[in-house]
Amino acid sequence: NEHLVDIDECPSELMKMLEQRPSHRLGYYFEDLVCFWLSHLSNVENIVRNKQIKNRDRTLGEFDFLFFDPQKNRHFHWEVAIKFYLSMDNKRAWKKWVGPNANDNLDQKLSKLIHFQSQLAGARESEAFLADMGINNLVSKILLKGYFFYHYDEFCSQIIQSPYQASSTHLRGWWQSIDELKNIKHE
């Protein structure tokens, strides 16, 4: 998109939007960037963001983004997330990749995105909202970005096991425990 190239050269519009953000939490920051990007695409219209779906007083879920693409003549539902996971034992299984919270792992996050969050449009409670918005022919997608961190030894040796279905060009870094860092000899 040419407009995004222009923003690279003169980012004042983006910077103004970022300065007005009420939260500095990474997930909200990522959503703000996605919203900014979507709003500057020529083929996207009618962006709805963070629309909660309720069953009486209970929130069932939230559509991160709903928008219309006139070129494809379709409405899209995007669930977006940015996550960071550590490889605990150099295995490809999703459950072996843990997040900042000990109760969080890649397996649980993907399951929630695939089986719950991206399926919100199929909930009975979503039907009236979608009909009122004139939304039909909805396509749900997941936009998941982030980093995978490998233990320093594996990272340096290039003997790493990426999570199943991860892009071969995914962003990556390394980690070490505090005890390992304390044992490094200073020269």
Side-chain angles (χ1 to χ4, degrees), residues 19-164:
E19 288 169 2
Q20 296 173 1
R21 296 181 50 253
S23 172
H24 294 290
R25 292 183 59 187
L26 183 60
Y28 296 129
Y29 178 78
F30 182 62
E31 283 188 13
D32 288 341
L33 291 174
V34 170
C35 188
F36 185 85
W37 175 61
L38 284 173
S39 68
H40 287 83
L41 291 174
S42 60
N43 61 325
V44 170
E45 299 175 355
N46 305 325
I47 299 169
V48 175
R49 181 174 173 195
N50 301 120
K51 175 60 182 164
Q52 290 185 348
I53 300 299
K54 295 184 178 195
N55 180 350
R56 298 187 186 139
D57 293 334
R58 195 185 84 164
T59 301
L60 297 176
E62 179 179 274
F63 289 107
D64 286 348
F65 291 96
L66 293 168
F67 59 89
F68 182 70
D69 182 339
Q71 292 175 336
K72 295 180 180 171
N73 196 29
R74 294 196 115 155
H75 285 92
F76 287 88
H77 160 218
W78 277 9
E79 285 299 316
V80 301
I82 186 164
K83 293 292 184 178
F84 301 94
Y85 290 102
L86 301 178
S87 169
M88 293 307 294
D89 56 10
N90 203 26
K91 301 285 187 214
R92 297 192 69 201
W94 292 342
K95 66 182 176 184
K96 297 295 185 176
W97 290 82
V98 298
N101 177 338
N103 297 325
D104 179 22
N105 68 43
L106 182 58
D107 186 45
Q108 292 168 333
K109 182 59 183 176
L110 288 173
S111 181
K112 185 176 178 185
L113 281 167
I114 293 166
H115 301 293
F116 178 70
Q117 290 175 266
S118 67
Q119 302 300 313
L120 184 59
R124 182 175 37 86
E125 293 81 0
S126 298
E127 291 174 5
F129 164 73
L130 294 172
D132 287 346
M133 295 287 294
I135 296 175
N136 56 21
N137 206 12
L138 186 66
V139 176
S140 292
K141 301 277 185 182
I142 297 169
L143 176 64
L144 177 61
K145 297 289 184 179
Y147 260 84
F148 291 124
F149 291 90
Y150 300 86
H151 188 272
Y152 179 77
D153 295 337
E154 286 122 18
F155 187 82
C156 290
S157 70
Q158 296 295 311
I159 303 172
I160 56 175
Q161 296 287 321
S162 298
Y164 288 114

Side-chain angles (χ1 to χ4, degrees), residues 163-178:
Y164 288 114
Q165 299 177 326
S167 167
S168 61
T169 60
H170 68 271
L171 298 174
R172 62 191 80 201
W174 57 269
W175 68 273
Q176 282 187 302
S177 70
I178 291 174

